[in-house]
Amino acid sequence: MGDYIVLAISCILINNILLAQFLGNCPFLGTSKKMETATGMAMAVVFVIVLAGIITWVTELYLLKPLDIEFLRTLSFILIVASLVQFVEMFLKKSIPALYTGLGIFLPLITTNCAVLGVCLINIKEEYSFLEMLVSSFSYSVGYGLALVLFAGIRERIILARVPKPLQDTSIGLVTAGMIAICFFAFKGMV
Amino acid sequence: MTEAILFMLGIGGVCGILLSFASKIFYVYEDPRVSLVESNMAGANCGGCGYAGCSAAAQAVVKGEALPSVCIVSGAEGAAKVAAVMGMDPGTAESRQAYSMCDGGVRAANKYHYLGVTSCGAMALVFGGQRDCHVGCLGLGDCVKACNFGALTMGKEGFPVVDENKCVGCGACNKACPKDIIEVKSMSDKLLKFNQINDPLAPCSQTCPAEIDIPQYISHIKNGDYLAAVQTIRMRNPLLLSCGRVCPHPCENDCRRGIADEPVSINQLKRFAADYEMNSGSRVPIKCAPDTGKKVAIIGGGPAGLSCAYFLRRVGHQVTIFESMPELGGMLRYGIPEYRLPKKVLEWEIEGITKLGIETHTNVRFGTDFGLGSLVAAGYDAVFIGIGAWKDHALGIPGDDLKGCFNGIKFLSTVSALVSSGISKGDTSIREKMKLGKRAAVIGGGNTAVDCARTMLRLGLEKVYMVYRRTRKEMPANEVEIVASEHEGIEFVFLAAPSRVVGNENGEVTHLEYLRMELGEPDASGRRRPVPVKGSETLLAVDTIVTAIGQAPDASFKEETSRRISELTLTRWSTIDNNPATLQSSIPYIFTAGDAATGPALVVDAIGGGRRAARSIDLFLKGKKVEPVKDSLQKKRIPESVFKTISGVQPIKRAVMPELPVNRRLDSFVEVDLVLPEDEALKEADRCLKCCRICYNPDKKSA
Ligand SMILES: Cc1cc2nc3c(=O)[nH]c(=O)nc-3n(C[C@H](O)[C@H](O)[C@H](O)COP(=O)(O)OP(=O)(O)OC[C@H]3O[C@@H](n4cnc5c(N)ncnc54)[C@H](O)[C@@H]3O)c2cc1C
Ligand code: SF4
Ligand code: SF4
């Protein structure tokens, strides 16, 4: 049990997929202008990463490994993630329209989110067991959501500051992101 | 190597097959026009139109929320193609337009001073902005910056001004505004909008049962644009000529100017604008939304029915009015006498409403000539019942059925019918036809009683008494009416309770016997209850008695054979039971308002009720849930806008209503109250402070 908690903490805070590994930056900057959008995106990411984690883990174990074609991992994972997102979108639209309207436009955006692929590849590289893989996928995505929501909160308030013209909007966003990353660096000492 | 190739092919194939199956299984019906419309847009997903991408814009077009010309990239050619898909002219969908709710701007008082803040959004984050008024415009123009079309500018007075020609209704400004000051609405949305607790409203508009934007129309009059004033009033009240004459203007009681000075003569100004339009010889055109294909039956052509029909027609539904009397108008025609509201004026007003394309059937009575079953069979999707309160309460004393006793509504409607049929002067002929005597007593103290008394004077009776249980202070009739009847020589017998009608051997009335009363303890309504004085029987020599002590709706239609109508529940006052917020009755597709639902009230109450019912019916027809308006004000005052004192007001006398001199009134039914002359109206309009929730324009200091 203790191991899983350590794994969760390290995935959420220490190796935060966004702030420590710099994956999934485009949607991070794109959907963090408003808290509402940020929370929507965060939820969609958790949903998709966990699903993608499971499927890719199974693919690796039962297809790529036995056939000895691990060099196709990245390529096939991209295909799988993209189809998965499409599938989930259709499924939700039909079966859970409420969730569909909630996650709405963020689902297709995730297709191009490198954090999803990143987490899947890390799961394989670290040779996680099924349970470990579940914990890590979930925690990484929660870490992503946490960073996104924090960042959106800060960005909403940045309008209060007098930002020099050339630095406005995305530029100041990147600077802020860098500073949050440095803060997260402090978690390194935890484990 | 072959394994790798096979694997990639396999995985690709599996994904493809799964997805194509999924798209079949999880297929959700979407209007095919959406994709057709989308294919005629530029496909750039630029969001320049304000929607989240082309497909969102296409959906908005199909829903009728956006014009075919939304796409700013594909231009006029694209718009024409989209319009062709939708089967309409480019530009006929109900377009949405931005408008600013707050016009406080720089005149509004500030509570904080912010340094270095450059946007409304930022200001709103710190204590909600600098203004005293928590709903007011912050004036830094986030909306102006958000508009991609240059349709907004920050006006001199510190609130945004919309250029209607440039606005495409995308709603970007509304999203940018942290205060919801800029609203983007279609005409239908605006017509069915109700006062809410957080709206920027003047005291008078809060109180008006029809919720007219009073400062707005007065300001149009002040600027000399009388027809714009008429249009503003018509957004809320289609019976402005009638209301301008008979409304007891509850709004004026709450006029902010009235705190330090006399209230603005709001209703006189309404009448001035309405008369201006009528006398100008042409009508201001009234726009209606595109047809929705839904049909509504309106039962009763009184103010409530007319108002409901008018609003439903304007938002695009097909409406038919069914009326039991020979002509439309309800109490406006058959209750309120000619000298207060000339039939010619009423006719002009009603014609303007029916001309919008409202079908009317008169001389057909619900319950007798047609029933609920026939309406449903004829394909009506909803029914509105506005049959008013036409059944007189009986006096219930010995002798009240002798020759010479009449009931108020019956009496007035008979006179009205005779007056309409042309016998307007020769009072004696009506008097003889109706077998009236020379000396009359009217029992009651409401509008109906006063109207009966004043009508009888005009019919040539020599002496008219009004017998009322309480005192003048408690009389529910309009104050102006009471004053006028005093001027015209009606004699009041207060604190008198009729106990017996005395007749002669032919069964004709000779006297009315009454008990004198004293005022006792206040009752539930706060009025002191009259109690009879023992042994104080007094005889009043009269030969005609009219009873006008109140009315109730005539619910005899319930005896109709259809089983369904028996499910319509009534209250114990025999008014139709409804949800007071949505006006929906116990049968979901039946809605009701006006006197039929509230018991005897005012014309404006019926008009406001008709509009509220129209909103609920509109929701019902669109298959939405019939829900009450959120935070609806419903004539309550917003506490922060109630002042005890106000500054910056210099006393200026209120305009006096011109009247016909008494000696010229009594020999005819000519209208008594006259319209303000133009210069007086302009002076009066200038007295208005153009209030909002808490700020207003004080009088300019005369140097
Ligand atoms: C004498 C008098 C004076 C008044 N003075 C004023 C005033 O000065 N100011 C003011 O604001 N208010 C005044 N009122 C009140 C005002 O007239 C009413 O509140 C208002 O007219 C109510 O409108 P309504 O549409 O609900 O009902 P009504 O005006 O009563 O209209 C109901 C309509 O339904 C029709 N109808 C009834 N039964 C049926 C049926 N079974 N089938 C088909 N049609 C039917 C009737 O013929 C009538 O046309 C006065 C009322 C009276 C009686
Ligand atoms: S005023 Fe508002 S609704 Fe109109 S075009 Fe500009 S942003 Fe869009
Ligand atoms: S001064 Fe004008 S806006 Fe203010 S309450 Fe009176 S009529 Fe209404």
Side-chain angles (χ1 to χ4, degrees), chain A residues 64 69 83 90 94 159-160, chain B residues 7 11 15 23 26-27 122 125:
Chain A
L64 297 177
I69 44 171
S83 324
M90 282 191 257
K94 175 82 179 181
I159 46 170
L160 276 180
Chain B
F7 171 74
I11 212 167
C15 287
S23 68
F26 300 129
Y27 173 72
L125 282 175

Side-chain angles (χ1 to χ4, degrees), chain B residues 224-526:
Chain B
D225 194 350
Y226 308 137
L227 296 180
V230 166
Q231 272 171 316
T232 303
I233 301 170
R234 282 225 176 91
M235 290 302 285
R236 294 285 175 267
N237 181 344
L239 295 168
L240 47 167
L241 282 166
S242 309
C243 272
R245 287 173 166 74
V246 304
C247 188
H249 41 70
C251 55
E252 293 181 17
N253 301 344
D254 278 328
C255 173
R256 192 168 279 161
R257 189 170 190 110
I259 299 170
D261 188 9
E262 291 172 303
V264 174
S265 197
I266 301 174
N267 202 39
Q268 292 288 319
L269 288 172
K270 179 185 306 120
R271 167 161 182 192
F272 168 77
D275 278 24
Y276 178 87
E277 188 205 7
M278 180 175 66
N279 296 334
S280 76
S282 63
R283 293 175 190 274
V284 182
I286 301 176
K287 276 203 220 132
C288 294
D291 277 344
T292 59
K294 300 278 186 196
K295 278 168 63 178
V296 185
I298 308 276
I299 303 172
L306 286 169
S307 153
C308 188
Y310 164 88
F311 285 104
L312 285 173
R313 180 68 207 107
R314 283 198 70 184
V315 303
H317 304 300
Q318 284 303 330
V319 204
T320 314
I321 301 181
F322 298 90
E323 165 61 54
S324 60
M325 299 295 280
E327 273 167 293
L328 297 181
M331 284 301 179
L332 292 177
R333 183 185 297 274
Y334 295 106
I336 297 174
E338 170 82 14
Y339 61 86
R340 284 215 281 145
L341 174 58
K343 303 283 175 279
K344 236 178 52 223
V345 174
L346 183 65
E347 224 127 74
W348 196 85
E349 179 135 284
I350 294 179
E351 193 196 41
I353 297 174
T354 51
K355 257 173 69 175
L356 297 176
I358 295 171
E359 216 183 303
T360 56
H361 299 288
T362 49
N363 282 320
V364 284
R365 193 172 178 80
F366 180 54
T368 323
D369 301 317
F370 66 102
L372 203 53
S374 50
L375 290 180
V376 174
Y380 287 100
D381 302 287
V383 177
F384 173 83
I385 302 187
I387 57 169
W390 279 55
K391 215 164 104 189
D392 290 289
H393 288 320
L395 197 51
I397 56 172
D400 65 359
D401 50 358
L402 292 176
K403 271 186 229 151
C405 286
F406 297 87
N407 279 327
I409 300 299
K410 190 90 203 23
F411 171 81
L412 285 173
S413 53
T414 317
V415 177
S416 275
L418 288 172
V419 170
S420 319
S421 68
I423 329 172
S424 60
K425 264 273 168 64
D427 33 76
T428 43
S429 65
I430 294 187
R431 217 184 78 211
E432 275 155 20
K433 262 206 171 89
M434 295 184 63
K435 302 209 175 54
L436 302 177
K438 294 243 171 254
R439 300 164 60 83
V442 178
I443 303 168
N447 274 324
T448 315
V450 178
D451 282 339
C452 289
R454 291 181 71 190
T455 299
M456 281 197 281
L457 280 186
R458 285 164 174 76
L459 291 179
L461 271 76
E462 282 158 12
K463 183 81 204 166
V464 178
Y465 295 99
M466 282 197 65
V467 180
Y468 181 50
R469 281 197 310 155
R470 307 179 196 233
T471 63
R472 186 183 188 291
K473 219 172 73 221
E474 282 92 15
M475 276 178 77
N478 306 348
E479 177 64 21
V480 271
E481 300 302 310
I482 306 177
V483 174
S485 50
E486 284 168 345
H487 288 169
E488 291 168 10
I490 285 165
E491 192 168 320
F492 289 85
V493 185
F494 290 119
L495 288 168
S499 52
R500 191 161 61 98
V501 179
V502 186
N504 60 16
E505 59 282 6
N506 298 333
E508 290 160 345
V509 176
T510 57
H511 289 89
L512 175 69
E513 185 193 86
Y514 64 88
L515 282 172
R516 274 196 295 107
M517 311 285 271
E518 271 174 353
L519 285 183
E521 294 298 303
D523 64 4
S525 69

Side-chain angles (χ1 to χ4, degrees), chain A residues 34 59 63-64 67 69 71-72 75-76 79-80 83 86-87 90-91 93-95 156-157 159-160 162, chain B residues 3-4 7-8 11-12 15 18-19 22-23 25-28 30 116-117 119 121-123 125-126 175:
Chain A
K34 274 178 103 181
T59 316
L63 283 173
L64 297 177
L67 292 176
I69 44 171
F71 62 90
L72 280 179
L75 201 57
S76 54
L79 194 60
I80 291 173
S83 324
Q86 291 285 320
F87 183 82
M90 282 191 257
F91 173 75
K93 193 168 180 182
K94 175 82 179 181
S95 315
E156 271 192 347
R157 279 158 186 78
I159 46 170
L160 276 180
R162 266 181 291 171
Chain B
E3 276 161 343
F7 171 74
M8 280 317 287
I11 212 167
C15 287
L18 269 181
L19 282 183
S23 68
I25 298 170
F26 300 129
Y27 173 72
V28 178
E30 191 180 50
V117 173
S119 81
M123 218 180 237
L125 282 175
V126 212
K175 290 199 196 92

Side-chain angles (χ1 to χ4, degrees), chain A residues 27 31 35-53 81 84-86 88-89 92 99-111 113 115-116 137-138 140-142 144-146 148-149:
Chain A
T31 60
M35 189 55 100
E36 217 185 314
T37 355
T39 42
M41 185 66 179
M43 269 159 36
V45 164
V46 173
F47 189 71
V48 169
I49 288 192
V50 172
L51 265 183
V81 169
L84 176 73
V85 172
Q86 291 285 320
V88 167
E89 196 188 344
L92 289 185
L99 191 60
Y100 176 77
T101 36
L103 301 182
I105 48 166
F106 304 114
L107 279 173
L109 273 180
I110 297 178
T111 327
N113 190 339
V116 181
S137 305
F138 181 73
Y140 271 127
S141 51
V142 166
Y144 185 92
L146 177 73
L148 187 61
V149 169

